[in-house]
Amino acid sequence: TWHLKKIPQIVSERTFSLDSPKFEARTKLELNSVCGIECQRKLPVPSLSDLKDLLAYETVFENGTRTLTEVNVLGLGLDPAGNSTTVPRSSRKKRQIYGTDSRFSIYDKRFMTNFPFNTAVKISTGCSGILVSPRHVLTAAHCLHNGKDYVKGSKRLRVGLMKTKSRGDGRKRKGAKRNGMPSFQWTRVKSTHIPKGWFKGVSGDIALDYDYAVLELKRPHKRKYMELGISPTIKMMPGSMIHFSGFDNDRSGQLVYRFCSISDESNDLFYQYCDAEPGSTGSGIYLRLKEPNKKKWKRKIIAVFSGHQWVDVNGEQQDYNVAVRITPLKYAQICFWIHGNDENCTQG
């Protein structure tokens, strides 16, 4: 069951104009992280002033202008981190060999153009994302910014939505659907929001905990989108199973769906071995749980797929596929970006 949780409030305090970004960084779809599972568990709980700094955010507009918004965090209660639960330490499981590729390419148009698969979108920098409102897309921050500067392709950022119908008089057009592959309707991005915690210098190094961003589309779409949810712990998930769809580079033009179980978790990250290739980075990870006091099932996004990461574990490099969990604080921030106020963001 989805458990309703009280959400902290994030309110904007001041907004400053900044210089326009250079847009000179290269898109890097595989990151090296210095903080593995053990390191994550030893991180101190951030203070309120730390949180205000980490959750401040930059907005870049289509015309290249950029602003920084400082925020205040209200209603944290006894837990300054804004997490609803603390994760018990568990022993590190031995890595399982991937074996047979467990991804599914979605070819059938009836599935591809219907919920939940049609909430997956393609980002023009080479990543994936997911629709979270009629105008907003959730994706990974590193698809747009490398921690120091915005990537080259983010200057004229576009989002590709899978087309449901082919227009025209039946003649083959450039980019038309072929061999069961989707064609895309590309929409310009009006603005992007990235938390300051992602930037080097604020967190000391790239902080995977803040590898998420929201894009506002120039034109609204008319299709069903996926709602946000608070990430439960592994124990609270049916079979510890997660699901996500994206556009993996090795299956060009195809929508690829997968589901798998989570191996381990920290307060902010999921560690798993879902089969995934670059290109699926930024996909929305979702669960299907029952609504409280109802018989209906509902899918909600509970994490953002960050991609393949190399992490130091006891001095050795180990690899994981990592996802950023949507904690109550992150829910509050993403919801605030979508609605422009905190009134619609009181319960997750």
Side-chain angles (χ1 to χ4, degrees), residues 104-162:
F104 301 89
S105 289
I106 308 293
Y107 292 112
D108 192 320
K109 200 171 180 184
R110 288 171 301 172
F111 291 109
M112 200 187 293
T113 59
N114 281 305
F115 189 85
F117 301 112
N118 67 346
T119 61
V121 297
K122 195 170 174 65
I123 312 291
S124 57
T125 54
C127 290
S128 299
I130 192 161
L131 299 172
V132 289
S133 92
R135 289 192 89 114
H136 295 87
V137 169
L138 179 64
T139 188
H142 78 263
C143 296
L144 316 169
H145 193 287
N146 73 347
K148 290 183 175 177
D149 187 20
Y150 290 82
V151 302
K152 289 178 182 178
S154 66
K155 190 169 187 176
R156 292 178 181 84
L157 198 61
R158 297 180 304 148
V159 168
L161 282 73
M162 283 185 289

Side-chain angles (χ1 to χ4, degrees), residues 206-244:
I206 286 175
L208 285 184
D209 305 1
Y210 295 93
D211 189 11
Y212 58 92
V214 167
L215 319 179
E216 183 184 358
L217 302 176
K218 204 165 180 183
R219 295 191 309 273
H221 61 86
K222 293 178 181 174
R223 60 188 69 188
K224 195 173 177 183
Y225 55 87
M226 191 92 72
E227 288 183 26
L228 295 174
I230 304 292
S231 163
T233 58
I234 296 175
K235 287 180 182 176
M236 303 300 288
M237 296 181 197
S240 310
M241 298 298 279
I242 55 171
H243 309 252
F244 64 100

Side-chain angles (χ1 to χ4, degrees), residues 41 85-90 233-234 264-269 325:
R41 291 207 179 102
T85 53
T86 53
V87 177
R89 294 188 182 202
S90 60
T233 58
I234 296 175
D264 212 334
E265 63 187 350
S266 69
N267 276 331
D268 285 279
L269 302 174
R325 297 175 66 177

Side-chain angles (χ1 to χ4, degrees), residues 183-195:
S183 57
F184 295 97
Q185 175 188 346
W186 292 93
T187 302
R188 293 288 290 270
V189 170
K190 184 180 173 184
S191 63
T192 65
H193 301 296
I194 299 178

Side-chain angles (χ1 to χ4, degrees), residues 9 60 66 77 90 106 108-109 146 168 203 225 250 262 268 300 308:
Q9 284 178 289
V60 175
R66 177 171 56 148
S90 60
I106 308 293
D108 192 320
K109 200 171 180 184
N146 73 347
S203 51
Y225 55 87
D250 67 330
I262 294 170
D268 285 279
K300 289 184 183 178
H308 180 268

